[in-house]
Amino acid sequence: MAATLGYDGVEVMVWTDPVSQDAGALRGLSAHYGVPVGSVHAPCLLVTQRVWSPDPWERLRRAARLATDLAAPTVVVHPPFTWQRDYARGFADGLADMTAEFGHLRFAVENMYPVRLGRREFVPYVPGWNPVEAGYPAYTLDISHCAAARTDPLAMADAMAGGLAHVHLGDGTGEGRDEHLVPGRGAQPCADLLGSLGRRGFTGAVAVEVATRRAPTRASREADLAESLAFARRYLPAAQHA
């Protein structure tokens, strides 16, 4: 689908699907369709806590090896969960060690958001959902997550400054939940954020991350992804790619 619609590349999220974990299979698909892998998302979601290993450092290291095998320059990683005490305690130092081990990669820590259940709100990440407050060398800016956190993505990009390494492009209404809408269908300044990347000195990639599970047909899914790509190309500086 990425090849058919004309995307410049894809981000691979390492998942329970064995193909997403297999460098050889992914290299074969990339060569067959002529679509490179531009980034690898480490298996750090709730549903991928047992992929490869229960040890989060081993999962991240294997994601780095996968990115290396695929010539992808960026590994996306989430902040530690609150129950991952040892991992959280050594997260900053561990990332520094990982960066030294894989000097050609950027480990881009993604901004997350509080979880709201009715009137209750809690943050399942340590030290919080906003990685800038902890301070890391590289970040992934997820616009939909900004909407869920009710924070301004332009201000988030300002705070990330030269550490902004990667962007997840998706929209949100700001209702406090992660929606990953097609850009332009929510309330976030997606166009302004994309347009600002040139003056920010951004040299990373923009990965479209929109929810298509509710699309009733393949044609409607393709239409959503085509619209997302057209939006990105309309507002990105000419030197950038989506």
Side-chain angles (χ1 to χ4, degrees):
M1 193 175 289
T4 300
L5 297 177
Y7 277 82
D8 297 318
V10 295
E11 176 168 316
V12 169
M13 176 174 279
V14 179
W15 197 252
T16 54
D17 180 353
V19 173
S20 72
Q21 307 167 26
D22 187 325
L26 291 168
R27 277 197 306 269
L29 288 168
S30 178
H32 177 76
Y33 290 104
V35 177
V37 176
S39 48
V40 169
H41 195 306
C44 45
L45 280 69
L46 276 175
V47 296
T48 56
Q49 292 297 295
R50 296 288 172 176
V51 169
W52 283 334
S53 169
D55 177 3
W57 286 119
E58 178 62 19
R59 293 199 300 274
L60 187 55
R61 181 169 285 104
R62 291 188 64 168
R65 290 174 186 154
L66 180 64
T68 299
D69 288 343
L70 299 171
T74 303
V75 175
V76 178
V77 59
H78 290 183
F81 287 115
T82 53
W83 57 84
Q84 295 175 309
R85 293 183 179 86
D86 291 341
Y87 179 52
R89 192 177 299 115
F91 188 62
D93 290 340
L95 278 184
D97 292 343
M98 201 77 73
T99 301
E101 182 178 350
F102 300 92
H104 55 290
L105 296 177
R106 298 190 80 176
F107 294 87
V109 185
E110 187 171 359
N111 61 295
M112 302 306 291
Y113 52 92
V115 175
R116 296 179 177 88
L117 298 173
R119 296 183 179 180
R120 298 180 60 190
E121 176 179 300
F122 68 97
V123 178
Y125 305 100
V126 175
W129 62 264
N130 183 355
V132 179
E133 294 180 353
Y136 303 107
Y139 303 100
T140 294
L141 172 58
D142 188 302
I143 302 174
S144 176
H145 291 179
C146 287
R150 294 171 177 159
T151 190
D152 180 3
L154 291 168
M156 178 73 72
D158 289 342
M160 290 177 173
L164 177 58
H166 194 62
V167 173
H168 281 167
L169 175 60
D171 214 333
T173 61
E175 293 182 355
R177 54 193 175 89
D178 190 19
E179 297 168 286
H180 288 291
L181 302 176
V182 170
R185 297 185 186 176
Q188 302 309 297
C190 296
D192 292 341
L193 188 281
L194 294 179
S196 76
L197 293 179
R199 65 174 173 77
R200 296 179 188 278
F202 179 77
T203 58
V206 175
V208 166
E209 193 174 80
V210 299
T212 62
R213 293 184 185 91
R214 294 185 179 180
T217 64
R218 180 182 177 90
S220 61
R221 179 175 291 112
E222 288 186 352
D224 284 349
L225 294 175
E227 182 180 334
S228 299
L229 179 59
F231 184 99
R233 290 215 168 119
R234 185 180 311 125
Y235 293 107
L236 273 172
Q240 300 292 336
H241 297 279

